Amino acid sequence: MSFQTPLTINEVITDIHAKKYLLPSIQREFVWSQEQIKTLFDSLMRDYPINAFLFWKIPKHKASEFKFYEFLRDYHQKDNTHNPKANISGTDDVMAVLDGQQRLTSLYIALKGTYASKLSYKRWDNPQAYPKKRLYLNLLSKPESGDCEFDFDFLTDTESNEKDDTHHWFPVGNILDLKEQDEVNDYLLESGILLNTDKEKGKFANRALFKLHKVIHVNPIISYYLEQSTELDKVLNIFIRVNSGGTTLSYSDLLLSFATAQWENRDAREEINDFVDEINEIGHGFNINKDIVLKACLVLCDIEDISFKVDNFNRTNMLKIESQWDNITKAIRDALTLISSFGFSRENITSNNLVIPIAYYLKTIGLPNNFDVSTSKIEDRQKIKRWFVSSLLKRVFSFAPDGVLKPVRDIIKQYSSSGFPLDKIVERFKGTNRALQFSEDDINNLLYSKYGQGDTLVILSILYPWADFRHNFHIDHMFPKSEFAPKKLAATGVPEDKITEFIENCNYIGNLQLSKTFFYHYRLTFGYIENTNVI
């Protein structure tokens, strides 16, 4: 490994765009937020160091032995988080990035692409919740708050056109077209910034834009080391060691890296990413990530130690997971289909670890088809739902989930021949801090669940056990919220000293129900009941 002559950002971005720099399959995916990208650019503008990079040069005749991916250009939090697979046929030597992917992808997105993340007040499945934004630099003033010196922000095209005395938004990517200093000067003159603002703002704009030009075109900022070994074990070890900082390499990333390097007949990265995308579209949508899928792999393959430790990611375990991949994916898919039929989705599941024991049970009993609707499995579904709802409300998986997953797996393995072993699981945790029984205090606490909280639907699923939650419904007030106004309550005879109490309690579970329209439609259409009780 040797230190090389540093490069400018423009040189590297040009080569990334020409696909001369690629990402090895052991790399994790892009995870930086907009705030991290803005901070990176502020650091560059203030001449702060951004650490050295590590590149891996693979000769053309050896490159076909490895898998590579292109850099992500237009990031979309829901629809485009995966790097496209690179075609290396007919290329020269491959230059892959072992350390610095997050920073380089951030630079590439900021200078050449877009970033679309979910607006907090819109639903995840609403396409309008993900506006496409580009990075801009305000040339007229510093940020109003925070410790940044330059005002970088991700804006839509409409937002960037809103100019006033303290805002003139310059598209950061346009600096790539201003290669010479006189072109920077021309922009400042032609945009009217120097003529239409006061002297101090003009000075700031001049300093900011020339500084950005220097950062991108002049200063050799990209310092890097070059590794030329083609021994995968050595490269993988280097990768793991250098990725201990920054956005920390999670154990699931490590597992994915090992699987990618060691699976023999499948592309682990593509298989796992595609599967995660698929299962998150089941029902009303889930939020399963690769961490849960990879943890499920350890559990469903009966690997003794299911903790995310490097020692567990050995070749033997990885090949075992690969050989059972089809059964693993069917088990998880069927488990989520069943959970969806109970009325659950990303909106009301507080721990995705709950999926794993159900998937393990389905795999153990032979992965029966149509488990979620089969009339012969009604009693089994009732038991699974009682365990699921109770575990969810009691927050059984809220800490140290391995302490639940392993004993539940052992119980299922031993007693699954007689159906889902609900009673055995309840008995195993009785008297512990993971007990599934509900005390009077527990029940009283549930009564304080409110409209809009995830647990509210869980509780209503108990109060209306016959409802088929695969069909559309919504939570509604029994007495409309609009009626809980002082004048209206007084008009109905509510005592004056009780009016405040009525208003404060109108959103609690006692005044909530599932949509009557849904219930009427359900009864007419289906007409059968599956009874479920809380343990």
Side-chain angles (χ1 to χ4, degrees), residues 70 110 132 158 191 423:
E70 297 175 12
K132 184 183 294 186
T158 301
S191 65
D423 294 340

Side-chain angles (χ1 to χ4, degrees), residues 361 380 383 408 411-413 415-416 418-426:
Y361 174 70
D380 230 9
K383 291 180 180 179
V408 169
I411 293 170
I412 292 173
K413 188 188 305 185
Y415 298 104
S416 61
S418 301
F420 188 78
L422 174 62
D423 294 340
K424 299 291 184 182
I425 296 174
V426 171

Side-chain angles (χ1 to χ4, degrees), residues 335-361:
L336 287 170
T337 300
L338 178 62
I339 292 168
S340 175
S341 74
F342 295 158
F344 297 99
S345 66
R346 63 190 294 139
E347 304 294 339
N348 47 40
I349 295 181
T350 55
S351 174
N352 286 322
N353 283 293
L354 283 156
V355 177
I356 298 176
I358 299 176
Y360 184 81
Y361 174 70

Side-chain angles (χ1 to χ4, degrees), residues 40-239:
L40 172 65
F41 270 81
D42 184 72
S43 298
L44 291 169
M45 295 283 281
R46 297 164 77 173
D47 295 321
Y48 290 176
I50 61 169
N51 298 327
F53 296 77
L54 176 58
F55 298 157
W56 176 28
K57 187 176 182 180
I58 307 100
K60 179 179 179 179
H61 69 278
K62 296 286 290 185
S64 61
E65 297 179 11
F66 307 97
K67 296 183 179 70
F68 298 96
Y69 292 82
E70 297 175 12
F71 276 78
L72 196 62
R73 174 175 172 176
D74 293 299
Y75 174 82
H76 190 288
Q77 188 178 358
K78 180 175 181 289
D79 296 332
N80 192 36
T81 62
H82 304 320
N83 301 76
K85 196 170 184 178
N87 180 4
I88 60 171
S89 60
T91 64
D92 296 326
D93 296 346
V94 171
M95 188 71 78
V97 178
L98 284 181
D99 185 39
Q101 179 226 351
Q102 302 296 325
R103 287 168 286 161
L104 288 179
T105 302
S106 295
L107 292 171
Y108 189 46
I109 287 174
L111 293 165
K112 287 282 192 179
T114 57
Y115 195 116
S117 58
K118 181 183 171 298
L119 298 175
S120 59
Y121 54 87
K122 289 186 179 291
R123 284 182 55 87
W124 72 276
D125 53 353
N126 181 355
Q128 297 181 0
Y130 305 88
K132 184 183 294 186
K133 298 186 177 184
R134 304 178 193 278
L135 186 65
Y136 288 83
L137 170 61
N138 181 11
L139 295 180
L140 294 185
S141 63
K142 296 182 178 182
E144 297 178 359
S145 60
D147 59 357
C148 289
E149 185 174 330
F150 293 89
D151 190 8
F152 287 96
D153 205 356
F154 278 92
L155 305 172
T156 63
D157 292 340
T158 301
E159 292 170 338
S160 69
N161 289 325
E162 297 175 358
K163 296 180 172 61
D164 54 36
D165 291 342
T166 59
H167 293 88
H168 178 101
W169 294 108
F170 175 79
V172 172
N174 285 7
I175 199 67
L176 295 174
D177 298 324
L178 307 180
K179 294 180 170 54
E180 304 297 333
Q181 291 190 6
D182 62 296
E183 293 176 308
V184 177
N185 213 38
D186 289 344
Y187 175 86
L188 291 169
L189 289 171
E190 293 169 2
S191 65
I193 293 177
L194 300 181
L195 298 176
N196 300 324
T197 59
D198 61 46
K199 183 178 180 180
E200 290 304 314
K201 288 188 176 66
K203 283 184 176 180
F204 182 86
N206 187 73
R207 181 169 72 92
L209 195 56
F210 270 95
K211 182 64 177 180
L212 182 62
H213 174 271
K214 189 176 182 181
V215 163
I216 302 301
H217 292 285
V218 181
N219 293 349
I221 288 172
I222 307 298
S223 302
Y224 70 100
Y225 292 89
L226 187 65
E227 174 59 45
Q228 300 190 63
S229 172
T230 56
E231 297 178 19
L232 183 58
D233 288 344
K234 179 182 179 182
V235 172
L236 191 58
N237 188 50
I238 292 172
F239 171 73

Side-chain angles (χ1 to χ4, degrees), residues 357-404:
I358 299 176
Y360 184 81
Y361 174 70
L362 295 177
K363 183 172 180 285
T364 301
I365 63 173
L367 296 171
N369 291 323
N370 303 317
F371 183 90
D372 61 311
V373 294
S374 172
T375 55
S376 66
K377 302 296 183 183
I378 290 177
E379 184 178 352
D380 230 9
R381 290 199 297 272
Q382 290 175 350
K383 291 180 180 179
I384 292 174
K385 183 177 180 181
R386 290 174 63 185
W387 171 81
F388 184 89
V389 170
S390 300
S391 298
L392 192 60
L393 292 176
K394 294 285 285 185
R395 300 292 194 270
V396 167
F397 286 91
S398 61
F399 64 97
D402 289 1
V404 182

Side-chain angles (χ1 to χ4, degrees), residues 474-489:
H474 66 272
I475 298 173
D476 202 357
H477 292 81
M478 291 184 182
F479 296 95
K481 186 179 179 181
S482 60
E483 298 298 317
F484 287 81
K487 289 184 178 180
K488 291 184 177 181
L489 291 172

